[in-house]
Amino acid sequence: MSTSDAKLLGLWASPFTTRVQMALKLKSVEFEFIQENLQNKSELLLKTNPVHKKVPVFIHDDKPICESLIIIQYIEDTWISGPSILPTDPYDRAIARFWAAYIDDKWFPLLKELGAAHGDEARTSIMEKIFEGLALLEEAFDKCSKGKGFFGEENVGYLDIALGCYLGWVKATEIMTGVKWLDETKTPGLVGWAERLCSDNAVKDVLPEAQKLVEHYKMSTPKEKSATA
Amino acid sequence: MSTSDAKLLGLWASPFTTRVQMALKLKSVEFEFIQENLQNKSELLLKTNPVHKKVPVFIHDDKPICESLIIIQYIEDTWISGPSILPTDPYDRAIARFWAAYIDDKWFPLLKELGAAHGDEARTSIMEKIFEGLALLEEAFDKCSKGKGFFGEENVGYLDIALGCYLGWVKATEIMTGVKWLDETKTPGLVGWAERLCSDNAVKDVLPEAQKLVEHYKMSTPKEKSATA
């Protein structure tokens, strides 16, 4: 699909950027990727996202769209001839949106908190919450996938993207903490899902490598760690 | 429209509940309103929103949907013969979603923070941020309304509901603080908009009275103050 007027302003290590890359790849939309430097934000970023000053920003026909889930919805609404990202049924769509919001607002922030936590007690408490969240997401996977391979049933969909974009960071925090978040006993559905997703064409080339993320995390400033949305 | 299988589990003082009531009224959907008691949450609430345990929950054909903006999207997707709530153009839709998220995630939390702030310095700093947010929303109104009366142009739409649901609380905090948030000099667009919105049929009967909200706020516990979403 010819879309020379599509640009993505992002950061390779930002899961929110990965999310948009996945959606664009699913829809076979060609775009220019512009790597942002969060230590010295570009004029383009400040101009296109003056409210939050965060990546990703998707610029289509010179019009900027911010916030990753809103960008994905825009991509879905704009490239309607490509495969559907959201479920067709309004209720299934609402459920997908519910879990995507849960992941962004409740679950992923715990992984960030863990990085900043001091003391064994604080870390243990956060880790328990992360596992509780994964148990909920395992249940959600069972319901949404309807016995098939993805949250979007046969195909990678909205919730696969919403959660899948974090897989690089999930693995990176496993390396850094020594804790295995996904395992065959507690979250067998998600273990299989993660394997399938990481070999999917829309995902395998855009998901950052865990080891590179570990190095990036160790080198980045606290300000950078929170500068994506 | 006959929808005897539609129930809304809510709280009269919750702006998120008001939001859903507005959307249902816009679409002429009949529903049963079930007043929730947040000091003694019902079995129905705990069963239908086990993750967040918050109102509103919209129950349609025995299927629960949580989170007010997700419910509104569900209402839009389900009652398609009624007037559109979201803009038709994908970019306008993305912009409406962007500002709705800004209002919920950044702006309204400031009004709550103000209630909990101690000391003049803290209060002044929060008030400045509230005014800065209103200046952004005034600009957004100018752009979205395209010279017409509402964010949704000629008609009450998504962003009118997303921001309008807070008008009762905006007025209630004006009574409690003595500060006028909206005025003809700084936010003339929003002043006219608020007047028009409050006389709209979908809004005037469901927006709680400011004085009643003041009394409710003074009597409610800190836990209750944060128990809606």
Side-chain angles (χ1 to χ4, degrees), chain A residues 209-223:
Chain A
E209 280 174 39
Q211 193 56 52
K212 279 193 185 165
L213 290 174
V214 171
E215 285 155 30
H216 173 77
Y217 183 84
K218 287 180 179 165
M219 285 173 64
S220 62
T221 65
K223 202 175 160 193

Side-chain angles (χ1 to χ4, degrees), chain A residues 51-52 63-67 70 73-74 77-78 90-91 93-94 97-99 102 106, chain B residues 51-52 63-67 70 73-74 77-78 90-91 93-94 97-99 102 106:
Chain A
V51 175
H52 303 301
K63 290 182 289 190
I65 302 122
C66 307
E67 307 273 334
I70 295 174
Q73 181 75 59
Y74 175 81
D77 294 349
T78 302
Y91 186 73
R93 223 178 294 163
R97 290 191 171 112
F98 174 86
W99 287 113
Y102 170 80
K106 304 285 175 188
Chain B
V51 175
H52 303 300
K63 290 183 289 191
I65 302 123
C66 308
E67 307 272 333
I70 295 174
Q73 180 76 58
Y74 175 81
D77 293 348
T78 302
Y91 186 73
R93 224 178 294 163
R97 289 192 173 111
F98 173 85
W99 287 112
Y102 170 79
K106 304 283 175 191

Side-chain angles (χ1 to χ4, degrees), chain A residues 52-96:
Chain A
H52 303 301
K53 304 174 181 69
K54 290 182 177 184
V55 295
V57 181
F58 182 60
I59 307 171
H60 184 223
D61 286 339
D62 294 322
K63 290 182 289 190
I65 302 122
C66 307
E67 307 273 334
S68 62
L69 291 178
I70 295 174
I71 297 171
I72 291 177
Q73 181 75 59
Y74 175 81
I75 292 167
E76 172 81 337
D77 294 349
T78 302
W79 285 275
I80 48 176
S81 63
S84 292
I85 295 174
L86 279 148
T88 316
D89 176 74
Y91 186 73
D92 291 344
R93 223 178 294 163
I95 295 301

Side-chain angles (χ1 to χ4, degrees), chain B residues 123-148:
Chain B
R123 269 194 289 271
T124 306
S125 156
I126 296 168
M127 278 164 52
E128 273 170 19
K129 287 182 194 163
I130 293 174
F131 281 117
E132 282 166 19
L134 286 171
L136 289 176
L137 292 170
E138 174 78 10
E139 259 183 67
F141 178 74
D142 276 352
K143 282 186 194 158
C144 296
S145 64
K146 297 173 184 162
K148 289 155 193 162

